[in-house]
Amino acid sequence: MPEPRTVALVTLGCARNEVDSEELAGRLAADGWQLVEDAADADVAVVNTCGFVDAAKKDSVDALLEANDLKGQARTQAVVAVGCMAERYGKELAQELPEADGVLGFDDYADISDRLRTILSGGVHASHTPRDRRKLLPISPAERQGQGGAVALPGHAQDAAADAVTVAEAPVSVPDLPEGVAPASGPRAPLRRRLGGGPVASVKLASGCDRRCAFCAIPSFRGSFISRRPSDVLGETRWLAGQGVTEVMLVSENNTSYGKDLGDIRLLETLLPELAAVDGIERIRVSYLQPAEMRPGLIDVLTSTPKVAPYFDLSFQHSAPGVLRAMRRFGDTERFLELLETIRGKAPQAGVRSNFIVGFPGETEDDVAELERFLGAARLDAIGVFGYSDEEGTEAAGYDGKLDEDEVAARLARVSRLAEELTAQRAEERLGETVDVLVETVGGEDGEAVGRAAHQAPETDGQTVLTSGEGLRPGMVVAAKVVDTDGVDLVAEPLGGCVAEPLGGCTEAVRG
């Protein structure tokens, strides 16, 4: 029997891309490919690119060039680009980057194994011609039912939109799959294989976006918003729990819209308690929330459901009303503060993070001062600040009133300094609080355990260092008292004396 072909998946960008890579890994493993971590050990390196902003595009190109350098020096015979940058630019990327042996769009994902075999055998698969994916589905979300099977939707069953909504459907086993590979739900759902260990994993709620923010090109290459079936989300969460995952992060371009195309805009409120009840899951986290779409019922579920983190990843982007209208967004400082007051009135320890753009065309000094006023009052746990730059194909790229690059850089530095000070102050406010820390690593020179409290999302919002890691293991949830801070990071002392016991054998201080 010939030795199986080997493939390495290199992932850049957001958690949605990570889920896409694991779907590709599942498809390839099910078709006999051997997955390896290092591109140097792979016959083909598949780079899952990001096409969001210039810095991410540069990182994607660098990763492709780095993989190409392995050819002739290691096992690597081919380098293939997939993901958002490949989808967005297609033939143009192939022409500008001949080092890539293939540029595959989302429509190629279902046949990824055949595509890679063709490329490895010296054949050529024509790079796709990019198209506006917003036009592939009906404008009305309700009319998208039954249309999803004809459109490639990474992370979705091909006929997901056509199926009835049911949360209670149990996962269905599919025979003859390699160990560690399973469908997210029934046979229609995509295969998935985890590419990393650890107790945390993301699950897609939906793909695409119906919003038309003036600065964002994502809808043009990710397409219109379409929800996954609740049964698929639930089934995938059960499968991940069986793989040792204890925290699931729900991701999409806009989680607050979940269910609108399935006939129930409040479907997330129904789904969250079901997900939290999955055996082995200790925390459900919801990301990517739009302030303009927040509703009382969703706030109630996020702040009161056991095992659902009271965590609000709110996409404010700015707070000056003139800038927000130019961005084609809604709200202002006072409305945003009222929303935060409502959230904290229900859950005083709730975590809130957001991203902001400075230097948007037409932004004045008064607008920057208004943003600073909001930040000073908002008490956010984590803040991302980005300087505006034109993105081709967006409405804002054609705006007048562009600011000089030096001015944008100066405003970025100014607001970033303020953000760093304010988030450090917010962390200090948590001194003396009791927080539930999900342990991610144990060891090091001091034997310490490192994890995250409920207000800290993976990779973006800091971490919590426990003063003792004795008896702890990754995946546990430990109650701990905050005793010190370091910027946004916390130092906490575990409470209670029961650790590393079988399920059900611990005090309330430790679960897992």
Side-chain angles (χ1 to χ4, degrees), residues 141 144 205-211 225-227 252-269 287-290 293-295 298:
R144 294 172 194 163
L205 273 183
S207 287
C209 186
D210 288 340
R211 302 185 72 87
F225 184 90
I226 187 163
S227 303
S252 75
E253 279 74 20
N254 177 11
N255 282 335
T256 37
S257 283
Y258 179 69
K260 71 176 184 179
D261 52 317
L262 297 174
D264 186 0
I265 191 60
R266 295 176 176 82
L267 198 55
L268 184 56
E269 289 95 303
S287 61
Y288 303 114
L289 302 170
Q290 288 291 338
E293 297 181 33
M294 291 301 295
R295 47 196 179 269
L298 180 56

Side-chain angles (χ1 to χ4, degrees), residues 3 41 120 149 248 313 328 398 509:
E3 184 179 356
D41 298 326
L120 275 177
V248 164
D313 177 11
R328 296 205 176 279

Side-chain angles (χ1 to χ4, degrees), residues 64 261 420 512:
L64 288 162
D261 52 317
E420 186 175 350

Side-chain angles (χ1 to χ4, degrees), residues 267-288:
L267 198 55
L268 184 56
E269 289 95 303
T270 304
L271 178 59
L272 284 172
E274 296 280 349
L275 293 172
V278 172
D279 287 343
I281 296 298
E282 290 295 335
R283 180 182 290 163
I284 298 290
R285 183 183 304 278
V286 184
S287 61
Y288 303 114

